[in-house]
Structure formats: structure tokens, C-alpha cells
Amino acid sequence: MAKVHYIECAVCGKEYYLDRILAEVVEVNPKQKLKCPFCKKEFHLGMKRKQGKDARP
């Protein structure tokens, strides 16, 4: 069975799917900059959201 890789944008909080190859690169280098397909802003996995996961509308 295929493994699905989801990440959460540190800016807008939406989750989206990552390709397997990109997910492996991000696991090795969590400071790798990513661009959210929803809000179009750059972030990396080490960034913290200001509101927290439970504060999403």
C-alpha cells in the first residue's frame, strides 16, 4: 500500500499532499523552503504557527 505524505502549511494551516520524492528530501532537510499551493507563501517545517492547530476556523 502506498504511503501518503501530508504536511501542514505554517502560514495558513491547510494540509496538502507531497510527492514521495519531495517528502523524502524534506525529511532529510526540514529547513528546506516550501511554497504553499493555497496561500502562495514560503515556509519550512520548523516554523511555528501563531494560533495553533486547534484555532483554525
Side-chain angles (χ1 to χ4, degrees), residues 21-57:
I21 296 170
L22 181 57
E24 290 172 359
V25 169
V26 172
E27 285 177 11
V28 172
N29 183 11
K31 294 289 184 181
Q32 176 74 35
K33 287 193 177 188
L34 302 167
K35 190 170 187 175
C36 177
F38 300 107
C39 68
K40 308 293 187 210
K41 296 189 179 176
E42 289 187 350
F43 69 98
H44 58 83
L45 294 182
M47 291 176 66
K48 301 279 185 190
R49 287 194 64 215
K50 291 180 182 179
Q51 299 170 344
K53 194 172 187 177
D54 296 330
R56 281 193 276 172

Side-chain angles (χ1 to χ4, degrees), residues 8-24:
E8 181 179 336
C9 174
V11 180
C12 69
K14 292 186 179 180
E15 290 184 336
Y16 64 95
Y17 173 80
L18 279 184
D19 181 60
R20 179 185 57 86
I21 296 170
L22 181 57
E24 290 172 359

